[in-house]
């Protein structure tokens, strides 16, 4: 059996290496390293794929979130509601901009931000909601957009883990996540479903004026060289990363389908054990692209299972072991631990297993057998 990897980027590269290598060589030959033709090509291709008017590439996913908030003109003291159960980057940029993070609980069935909790957290100071499409699953965007419209709030989609997922609205229409809110942000970190070979990110919007503002922000606030019209940052996608992303983008749907196939195999195997809760998803739907495959272990043996799997050579991880409201950097007297029952439960139960496009049946069989033998 091939060695198990949490993410097998080497095997994935073997299938695309000729195209990637040729594209990188072209960049080296032309020396168009920053904002070159390859970046512009990727921007247009991603706009077409997402069905969005504007894609603005940038240096990484954290920058994408920060720049989106800067572009919206959020001011210090404005409250931004987001999920307690997610990676810290989502709330990190809120704090960096002097905004006020407002953390809320998540739903038990989807692991995404709770619409009920959002509604309770809205105050006159609330200016934005940041739903995170966690682990690759689309959040409840109909309800979130309705709340935003009712209270005149911005919606910033954190799409770092779910690029390629579709959201099916109540009226039956499908839209790519990240292209539903006022602005979306994503990461192209190598392990993402659409990942480059370094850091990279992008911002999406259908708002022409907002797109114009953001294009200035990513490039030191310049629209014309040495004319700084807005306060900006240095956050640009380099051409070599664009080559990798352009190569992978036409394959993204097949990559995501491979992930769903692996998730179904995991789910089928674990369905026999009442102490294991698997991610719920409809195999005929495409609202989940499984950036991570995350189980819940309900009999108190999660930590022991983590150690057992590591001893057996099976990579695994806990996403996320400490809720954001308990992190030293984001602790606040406003938070009552009792308001985060689902997040706190997840922190004690979740464990992520290998999930990538190159998983083989033999590997999944070995992983599931090892888990089931331990969790009785």
């Amino acid at each position: 059996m091939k060695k198990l990897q949490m993410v097998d980027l080497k095997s994935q590269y073997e299938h695309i290496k000729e195209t990637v290598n040729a594209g990188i060589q072209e960049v080296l030959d032309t020396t168009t390293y920053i904002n070159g033709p390859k970046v512009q090509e990727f921007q247009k291709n991603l706009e077409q794929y997402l069905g969005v008017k504007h894609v603005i590439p940038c240096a990484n996913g954290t920058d994408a979130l920060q720049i989106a908030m800067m572009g919206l003109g959020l001011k210090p003291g404005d409250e931004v509601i987001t999920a307690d159960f997610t990676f810290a980057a989502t709330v990190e940029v809120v704090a960096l901009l002097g905004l006020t993070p407002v953390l809320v609980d998540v739903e038990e069935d989807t692991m995404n931000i709770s619409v009920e909790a959002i509604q309770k957290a809205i105050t006159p100071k609330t200016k934005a909601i940041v739903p995170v499409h966690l682990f690759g699953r689309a959040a409840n965007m109909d309800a979130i957009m309705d709340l935003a419209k009712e209270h005149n709030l911005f919606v910033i989609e954190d799409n770092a883990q779910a690029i390629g997922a579709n959201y099916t609205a109540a009226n039956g229409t499908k839209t790519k996540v990240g292209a539903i809110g006022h602005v979306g942000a994503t990461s192209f970190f190598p392990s993402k479903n659409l990942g480059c070979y370094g850091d990279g990110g992008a911002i999406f919007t259908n708002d022409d004026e907002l797109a114009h503002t953001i294009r200035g922000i990513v490039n030191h606030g310049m629209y014309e060289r040495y004319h700084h019209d807005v306060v900006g940052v240095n956050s640009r996608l380099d051409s070599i990363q664009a080559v990798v992303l352009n190569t992978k983008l036409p394959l993204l749907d097949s990559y995501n389908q491979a992930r769903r196939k692996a998730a179904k195999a995991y789910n089928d195997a674990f369905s026999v054990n009442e102490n294991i809760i698997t991610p719920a998803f409809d195999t005929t739907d495409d609202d989940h692209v499984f950036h991570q495959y995350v189980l819940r272990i309900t009999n108190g043996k999660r930590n022991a299972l983590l150690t057992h799997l590591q001893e057996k050579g099976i990579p695994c991880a806990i996403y996320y072991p400490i809720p954001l409201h308990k992190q030293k950097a984001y602790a606040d007297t406003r938070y009552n631990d009792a308001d985060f029952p689902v997040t706190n439960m997840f922190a004690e139960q979740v464990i992520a297993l290998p999930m990538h496009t190159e998983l083989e049946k033999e590997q999944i069989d070995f992983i599931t057998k090892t888990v089931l033998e331990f969790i009785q």
Side-chain angles (χ1 to χ4, degrees), residues 10 12-24 197 247:
K10 184 175 181 180
Q12 188 187 68
Y13 167 67
E14 290 299 321
H15 296 292
I16 58 176
K17 66 185 298 183
E18 291 185 9
T19 305
V20 168
N21 291 356
I24 291 174
Y197 292 165
T247 303

Side-chain angles (χ1 to χ4, degrees), residues 112-317:
N112 280 321
I113 193 166
S114 163
V115 174
E116 181 181 356
I118 294 172
Q119 193 162 20
K120 290 179 180 178
I122 293 172
T123 76
K125 293 183 178 180
T126 306
K127 293 295 185 291
I129 305 167
V130 184
V132 181
H133 303 296
L134 195 70
F135 302 142
R137 183 174 196 151
N140 185 353
M141 292 305 296
D142 275 347
I144 290 169
M145 294 305 293
D146 285 346
L147 269 181
K149 184 176 180 180
E150 179 184 351
H151 296 277
N152 194 28
L153 306 175
F154 293 118
V155 174
I156 306 161
E157 291 180 77
D158 184 338
N159 198 33
Q161 299 187 15
I163 195 161
N166 282 310
Y167 177 74
T168 304
N171 63 9
T173 60
K174 285 182 178 287
T175 307
K176 294 292 184 188
V177 295
I180 303 166
H182 298 91
V183 62
T186 202
S187 165
F188 301 126
F189 187 77
S191 65
K192 303 299 186 186
N193 295 36
L194 179 63
C196 55
Y197 292 165
D199 268 318
I203 306 116
F204 332 127
T205 186
N206 287 305
D207 185 319
D208 297 340
E209 185 177 345
L210 178 58
H212 175 74
T213 301
I214 288 172
R215 286 196 178 95
I217 292 173
V218 300
N219 191 31
H220 297 290
M222 293 188 294
Y223 302 99
E224 181 182 350
R225 193 165 177 81
Y226 301 126
H227 292 255
H228 303 273
D229 294 348
V230 296
V231 175
V233 298
N234 176 21
S235 186
R236 297 168 298 204
L237 182 70
D238 73 70
S239 298
I240 287 176
Q241 304 310 329
V243 165
V244 177
L245 294 167
N246 256 328
T247 303
K248 288 186 176 185
L249 182 58
L251 303 171
L252 179 57
D253 287 345
S254 63
Y255 286 166
N256 288 340
Q257 185 56 37
R259 288 170 177 269
R260 280 192 287 267
K261 182 179 178 182
K264 183 180 185 303
Y266 275 136
N267 275 13
D268 288 348
F270 293 135
S271 64
V272 300
N273 192 309
E274 64 181 10
N275 295 313
I276 300 174
I277 298 178
T278 57
F281 78 106
D282 185 341
T283 56
T284 64
D285 203 354
D286 48 11
D287 69 339
H288 202 326
V289 294
F290 285 96
H291 173 59
Q292 303 290 353
Y293 181 83
V294 178
L295 295 174
R296 289 169 53 200
I297 306 300
T298 61
N299 63 354
K301 293 185 177 181
R302 192 275 309 273
N303 290 345
L305 174 63
L306 180 78
T307 301
H308 178 71
L309 293 178
Q310 290 170 338
E311 290 172 348
K312 295 291 184 179
I314 298 174
C316 52

Side-chain angles (χ1 to χ4, degrees), residues 62-79:
T62 307
D63 277 6
L65 282 168
Q66 178 175 324
I67 292 162
M69 293 179 192
M70 291 171 69
L72 291 170
L74 301 181
K75 305 297 183 185
D78 288 348
E79 293 181 353

